[in-house]
Amino acid sequence: GCTWSIKPGEYPRFDLYDLADRLRGKGWQVPAYPMPPHRSDLIVQRMVTRLGVSRDLAGMLMDDLRQAVRFLSSGRRRPSVGQETAGGYNHT
């Protein structure tokens, strides 16, 4: 697994929730969430992969991550995607 946050003192045009949303639109589940109450000022994003993930699949994720960061850094916005657009699992 891998966890990251935005570097202290850096103020990009987006936050990690925006990045998680962009990646969800491509089918990736890379959640962003705040740390426990004593560090709730820190937002992190975490990625966990299964054993045996192929280099090709990891490369696709990194390409989508780079595209998402470029898009969000440009300041362009679009409405958040809904479940119908992004897909995903429904517990009902």
Side-chain angles (χ1 to χ4, degrees), residues 3 16-17 20 30-36 40 42-47:
T3 303
L16 294 180
Y17 296 108
V30 186
Y33 49 90
M35 296 302 288
S40 61
L42 178 62
I43 307 298
V44 299
Q45 197 162 12
R46 187 177 115 187
M47 176 178 21

Side-chain angles (χ1 to χ4, degrees), residues 10-79:
E10 295 290 320
Y11 302 100
R13 295 178 170 191
F14 63 93
D15 60 25
L16 294 180
Y17 296 108
D18 297 324
L19 183 55
D21 185 55
R22 287 294 295 180
L23 291 173
R24 190 177 312 109
K26 292 285 195 166
W28 302 106
Q29 293 181 9
V30 186
Y33 49 90
M35 296 302 288
H38 70 283
R39 280 304 315 265
S40 61
D41 60 312
L42 178 62
I43 307 298
V44 299
Q45 197 162 12
R46 187 177 115 187
M47 176 178 21
V48 178
T49 60
R50 293 182 182 170
L51 184 62
V53 168
S54 71
R55 181 178 280 260
D56 288 342
L57 188 60
M60 288 170 44
L61 172 59
M62 294 311 297
D63 289 344
D64 287 342
L65 182 60
R66 285 185 199 100
Q67 285 179 349
V69 169
R70 270 194 303 271
F71 177 85
L72 293 167
S73 295
S74 74
R76 292 180 289 171
R77 290 283 190 236
R78 64 164 175 72

Side-chain angles (χ1 to χ4, degrees), residues 24-29 81-92:
R24 190 177 312 109
K26 292 285 195 166
W28 302 106
Q29 293 181 9
V81 296
Q83 182 178 357
E84 291 175 11
T85 304
Y89 184 76
N90 187 336
H91 291 280
T92 57

